[in-house]
Amino acid sequence: MTAFLRTDPATVRVALDARSYDVVIGRGLIASLGARLAALRPGAKAAIVTDENVARLHLEAVEAALAGSAIAAGRVIVSPGEGAKSFPVFERVCEQVIAARIERGDLVIALGGGVIGDLAGFVAAVVRRGLDYVQVPTTLLAQVDSSVGGKTAINSAHGKNLIGAFHQPGLVVADTAALDTLPAREFRAGYAEVVKYGLLGDAAFFSWLEANWREIFKGGPAREHAIAVCCRAKAAIVARDERENGDRQLLNLGHTFGHALEAATGFSERLLHGEAVAAGMALAFEFSARRGLLPSAEAARAIRHLAEVGLPAGPQEIAGELPSLDRLTDLMAQDKKIKRGTPTFILARGIGSAFVDSSVDAGDVRAFLGEKLAKQ
Ligand SMILES: NC(=O)c1ccc[n+]([C@@H]2O[C@H](COP(=O)([O-])OP(=O)(O)OC[C@H]3O[C@@H](n4cnc5c(N)ncnc54)[C@H](O)[C@@H]3O)[C@@H](O)[C@H]2O)c1
Ligand SMILES: [Zn+2]
């Protein structure tokens, strides 16, 4: 193992002036949560928002840590799954947080994956016109992506994440040991977002992943290192472009294709978000090669790594029947990253060199996708 790997917690600062905060990453950090919150907001009460799965596995440890620092904490438990990002659940969580007398100066704690982070973060954004909150992400996806950056949302009948707010947390505590209880398929799906950071802006990290991914899956210090690299990359991008007017769009690598595939499969167990992103990144690299932006051997290398870890490296690997070309292009046209009718694509000039392209011709994409779907 390389010398720079560390076992003490890593701290990444998200620099946003008065809204700056730390992301702390390390194994066993939940035990230190009480002391960290007492230091962050002395005397604050807390409401822990979590889902049933995470409550069963990790809530006791969190409550014990808070009790150890004499922090009074209530719990709000919702059913697991994307369904929690809905108006009815949002309303219930708001009312329970208010009933628990969480006031300005107190804390909402989002304990769980991206669903809980998005839901509890949005609750914190609006209850009493804004409460402070802390993210304690328990999925790999949440630790490397959704817990950092302050995007919060629930879903509309018209689409995912259409009702939300930018609301930065006051602290993110990523305990990498919490990932030990995560189902293997969820871990692998989250790993797609780890690969994304290499593919979009860090070729050396991508090479390191090719050599070390097994260690990350096993849970050694390589896991903490990988998560810290991703958080550092996300923090830098968010600091440059908090509200996604420019650079932050790079984080959508694989997501325009990916969201269409997710929507086409009904946001179901059939295709997890990270799996859709993997297939989407494979498409983005292949499409970039097709446009002569990078050598096809380079695109093949990106795709090979996704396939090696067991992620779908293209739509042809998604189980079951796929939608028609018309339906897929329709779904892409509804993507919320659309500005005045033109979908934005993140393309690549190489591994580690992604860029935002808003001038991609819809007909080219359609022809390319048509070929990919026909090859199944
Ligand atoms: N805000 C952002 O910037 C952002 C970025 C990416 C994704 N997201 C959102 O994140 C959501 C997906 O997040 P996710 O993949 O973490 O899904 P999730 O929150 O649904 O978690 C996946 C599953 O794992 C379970 N789980 C969580 N932690 C566990 C643990 N430690 N052990 C065992 N089981 C555990 C959950 O109960 C759930 O069943 C989507 O709604 C997506 O829109 C938001
Ligand atoms: Zn994603």
Side-chain angles (χ1 to χ4, degrees), residues 30 33-34 48 50 55 58-77 109 111:
I30 281 178
L33 192 61
I48 307 165
T50 191
H58 301 289
L59 182 54
E60 245 175 60
V62 168
E63 287 179 335
L66 299 188
S69 293
I71 297 172
R75 35 157 89 174
V76 181
I77 302 175
I109 300 174
L111 171 69

Side-chain angles (χ1 to χ4, degrees), residues 290-302:
R290 180 77 59 95
R291 291 168 79 79
L293 292 164
L294 82 168
S296 51
E298 181 108 338
R301 183 180 160 203

